[in-house]
Amino acid sequence: MKRSLNALVKILLMTAFSSVILMTTAHANNPPPTVKVDAPNRYIVKKGDTLWDISGRYLDSPWRWKEIWATNKQIKNPNLIYPNDILILCVIQGKTLIGVDTGEGCAGVEKQLTGNVVASTVAVTSTANSIPAIPMSAIQHWLDKTSIVNPKDFNTTPYILASKNRNLITASGDKIYAKGVPLIVGQRYGVYRKGKPYVEPKTQKVIGLEVTQVATALATAVAANGVTSLQLTDSYGKEVREGDRVFVELANAIPPVFYPTPATVNRGGMIVRVMDSISSAARGSVVAINLGSTHGAKPGDVLTVYQKGALIRDTIDNDTPVRLPSEPAGMVMIFNTFDNISYAYVLSSELPLNVGAQLLPPPYL
C-alpha cells in the first residue's frame, strides 16, 4: 500500500512538472501577435487617444502591444507616445514592428531599436502629456478620493463629534471636532465617509471597506479631554457628517504610466460590484473585482470577462436543465489595486457585464 501510494505521488509530481514544461514551451514557441490586415501603415496620434485604442488599431490582441512596439534605447521612457507623434508600421529583421517616425522612416526606427543612434546622454521625456493607457477622466475619482481599507483599522480612527455651529452642511473654513486618539496639531488630515463593505462571494468573509474622502482638515488644537479641533480646508462635493472618520490622507500608489499587459494573477476572479450603477457595466464603466495585490494583481493587468451560460431545458432529455458554457463577453484593465480588491476599467463589452461575471487572464494567442 505504501509503495503504491509513493508511486501515485511520483506520477502526480511528474504530471504537474510536465504541465509546467508544456506551458513554458508553449509560451516560448508562441508566434508573434498577428497585426490586423487593415492596420494603418502611418497613424498620427491625436489628443484624446488612448494606448488601448491605438493598440486596437493594429492588433486583435491589444494587450500584446509591447511585443510589437519598437522602443528607443536612447530615451529613458521609451514606451511613451505623445499627440502628433507619427507611428509607422515597419518590418525590421523579419519582425513587424511599430515605431515613431523621426523623419527617416523605417530606417530611423531600426536605428533606435538597435541602438545605432549617436547620443551623448540618454534623453529623459516627461510623462505629463503622454497618451494614457485608458481615459484618465473616467477613473480619476477612483484614483483620488476613493480607497479600500481594513474595516477593523477604520473603526479605531477618530470620528467627527460635531461642528462648531452644529451645521448640517459644512464648508471650507468651518470648524469641526473629532473624538478619539488625539491628532497632531498642525497636521493635515482627510475626513472619510464609510461606504459598503466588500464580501468574498465564496466565503462571505469581509475583505475590505470602501471609504470616500469628503474633506481635508487641519488640526488646530487638542483639548484636555482629548477632543481635537480641526478647520476644514477643502471639501469634495459632500458635507462632513457626524460619525465620519479622520485620519492621515491616503495616497494611492499608482504608477505615473502603466501599460495594458496580460494579467499574471494566481487565481481567477469575478466582478463583485459595478461602480456608480445598480445594474450592469458596459465599455467605459468602472467595476470592482475580487483580485488584489495579494493575488498578484497590478495596474495595467488585462483580464477577460466570461458571462455564465444560460440555463436551458433539454427537450430531448425530459426537459433536463443544462447550463451552456460560459462565453467571453468583454475585457477589463486593472488601474488601482488594494490587498484583496481592485478597481478595473471596462475596455470592451459585447454584452452587459454583471456582478458575478468570471475573470481570467486573456489567452496568450
Side-chain angles (χ1 to χ4, degrees):
M1 178 67 181
K2 183 177 180 181
R3 185 175 179 180
S4 61
L5 185 60
N6 288 337
L8 179 60
V9 170
K10 286 183 179 180
I11 292 171
L12 291 173
L13 287 173
M14 287 299 295
T15 303
F17 181 73
S18 299
S19 299
V20 172
I21 294 294
L22 286 171
M23 288 177 66
T24 304
T25 304
H27 277 241
N29 298 329
N30 194 62
T34 304
V35 176
K36 286 184 174 180
V37 176
D38 59 348
N41 290 320
R42 183 175 184 271
Y43 178 72
I44 301 176
V45 180
K46 303 184 297 294
K47 186 177 181 180
D49 278 343
T50 65
L51 183 55
W52 182 261
D53 291 336
I54 293 174
S55 305
R57 289 178 179 272
Y58 288 93
L59 296 174
D60 289 317
S61 304
W63 57 89
R64 299 186 67 183
W65 171 257
K66 291 187 75 173
E67 296 179 51
I68 66 166
W69 178 246
T71 56
N72 184 349
K73 296 179 181 180
Q74 308 302 322
I75 295 177
K76 187 174 181 180
N77 297 310
N79 298 311
L80 299 182
I81 303 174
Y82 298 87
N84 299 319
D85 277 351
I86 300 173
L87 306 185
I88 52 176
L89 194 65
C90 304
V91 177
I92 300 174
Q93 299 175 359
K95 296 181 179 179
T96 302
L97 299 172
I98 298 163
V100 176
D101 187 6
T102 58
E104 298 181 84
C106 289
V109 172
E110 185 170 8
K111 286 181 182 179
Q112 298 172 53
L113 179 65
T114 58
N116 296 326
V117 179
V118 178
S120 55
T121 58
V122 175
V124 178
T125 55
S126 169
T127 62
N129 299 312
S130 62
I131 296 299
I134 52 180
M136 295 304 292
S137 59
I139 66 173
Q140 201 66 55
H141 171 76
W142 311 106
L143 292 175
D144 293 343
K145 302 304 173 197
T146 305
S147 293
I148 297 173
V149 299
N150 185 314
K152 293 180 181 178
D153 294 339
F154 181 81
N155 291 331
T156 63
T157 57
Y159 57 89
I160 299 299
L161 186 63
S163 63
K164 181 180 179 180
N165 299 318
R166 304 307 302 272
N167 297 339
L168 294 177
I169 298 177
T170 53
S172 298
D174 287 350
K175 181 177 282 189
I176 56 177
Y177 303 100
K179 183 181 179 182
V181 178
L183 302 175
I184 301 172
V185 174
Q187 173 73 52
R188 175 185 169 109
Y189 290 93
V191 182
Y192 289 86
R193 174 79 37 79
K194 180 180 180 179
K196 295 180 181 179
Y198 283 95
V199 177
E200 177 61 44
K202 291 184 178 180
T203 65
Q204 293 301 302
K205 179 183 176 182
V206 175
I207 54 177
L209 175 69
E210 192 168 87
V211 297
T212 301
Q213 186 175 6
V214 297
T216 300
L218 186 71
T220 57
V222 178
N225 63 356
V227 174
T228 301
S229 299
L230 302 105
Q231 183 173 9
L232 294 178
T233 57
D234 296 285
S235 57
Y236 306 113
K238 296 180 180 179
E239 76 283 0
V240 174
R241 298 176 185 169
E242 294 177 3
D244 287 342
R245 297 284 175 162
V246 183
F247 44 89
V248 175
E249 289 184 289
L250 299 173
N252 293 324
I254 305 299
V257 180
F258 52 88
Y259 305 93
T261 184
T264 54
V265 289
N266 58 23
R267 66 168 175 81
M270 66 175 64
I271 295 175
V272 293
R273 189 172 299 171
V274 177
M275 315 309 290
D276 282 344
S277 172
I278 58 172
S279 54
S280 56
R283 187 178 188 273
S285 299
V286 172
V287 296
I289 65 175
N290 66 338
L291 292 169
S293 57
T294 57
H295 310 108
K298 57 188 180 302
D301 278 359
V302 174
L303 295 148
T304 302
V305 185
Y306 291 85
Q307 290 284 50
K308 185 183 291 186
L311 186 65
I312 64 168
R313 294 190 175 278
D314 185 346
T315 57
I316 305 300
D317 187 17
N318 299 317
D319 282 341
T320 303
V322 178
R323 176 75 65 181
L324 296 180
S326 296
E327 296 288 348
M331 306 202 79
V332 300
M333 188 178 82
I334 293 172
F335 64 86
N336 199 356
T337 59
F338 305 92
D339 289 346
N340 298 296
I341 296 287
S342 293
Y343 291 137
Y345 176 82
V346 179
L347 298 165
S348 62
S349 62
E350 297 178 11
L351 301 168
L353 307 181
N354 301 310
V355 170
Q358 302 295 310
L359 301 166
L360 290 171
Y364 197 75
L365 290 175

